[in-house]
Amino acid sequence: MKMVGVLCLGALLAAAAAPLHASPQDRRSDQEAAREGRMQGRLLPLRAIEARVVPYMIKKGAQYLGFDFDAGTGIYTLKFLRNGNVIWVDVDGRTGQVMSRSGG
């Protein structure tokens, strides 16, 4: 019984330490901002961003997981998995230039 209590406490601590994720409302507004930016010619389409980054990362042995978009900065964050490690690649949505890479 003691072990169950320890496991429950561990789960609660892990949940409390987990980063907060964007709410569905926030995600929708970011998607709308990305769409509006593309329509106005201020942002490159996601497919163009992916075409620049994904083949290179796959060649390096990474699996593409998906992306996030920050409407405030216009930055796409593409997520990859390689050897059990997550790699984040930040790409400027206006120019398509890779700004940073972290993890993995």
Side-chain angles (χ1 to χ4, degrees):
M1 195 61 166
K2 229 180 197 184
M3 182 59 110
V4 172
V6 170
L7 290 174
C8 288
L9 178 61
L12 287 172
L13 290 173
L20 297 175
H21 296 285
S23 71
Q25 180 65 29
D26 291 341
R27 187 169 297 278
R28 254 192 312 276
S29 64
D30 280 349
Q31 290 172 347
E32 290 168 8
R35 181 178 177 277
E36 184 178 310
R38 285 189 312 273
M39 302 270 299
Q40 294 174 354
R42 291 183 290 113
L43 294 173
L44 293 169
L46 171 62
R47 299 300 170 232
I49 300 286
E50 290 173 331
R52 293 177 184 209
V53 178
V54 173
Y56 173 79
M57 293 298 293
I58 288 175
K59 192 167 151 184
K60 296 290 184 182
Q63 174 188 1
Y64 183 49
L65 300 176
F67 74 97
D68 285 325
F69 176 72
D70 184 328
T73 62
I75 294 174
Y76 287 93
T77 300
L78 281 61
K79 294 182 266 185
F80 298 88
L81 182 65
R82 181 175 61 205
N83 300 327
N85 296 310
V86 177
I87 302 165
W88 294 272
V89 179
D90 291 332
V91 182
D92 186 322
R94 294 172 288 275
T95 65
Q97 295 295 314
V98 173
M99 299 173 61
S100 67
R101 182 179 134 186
S102 58

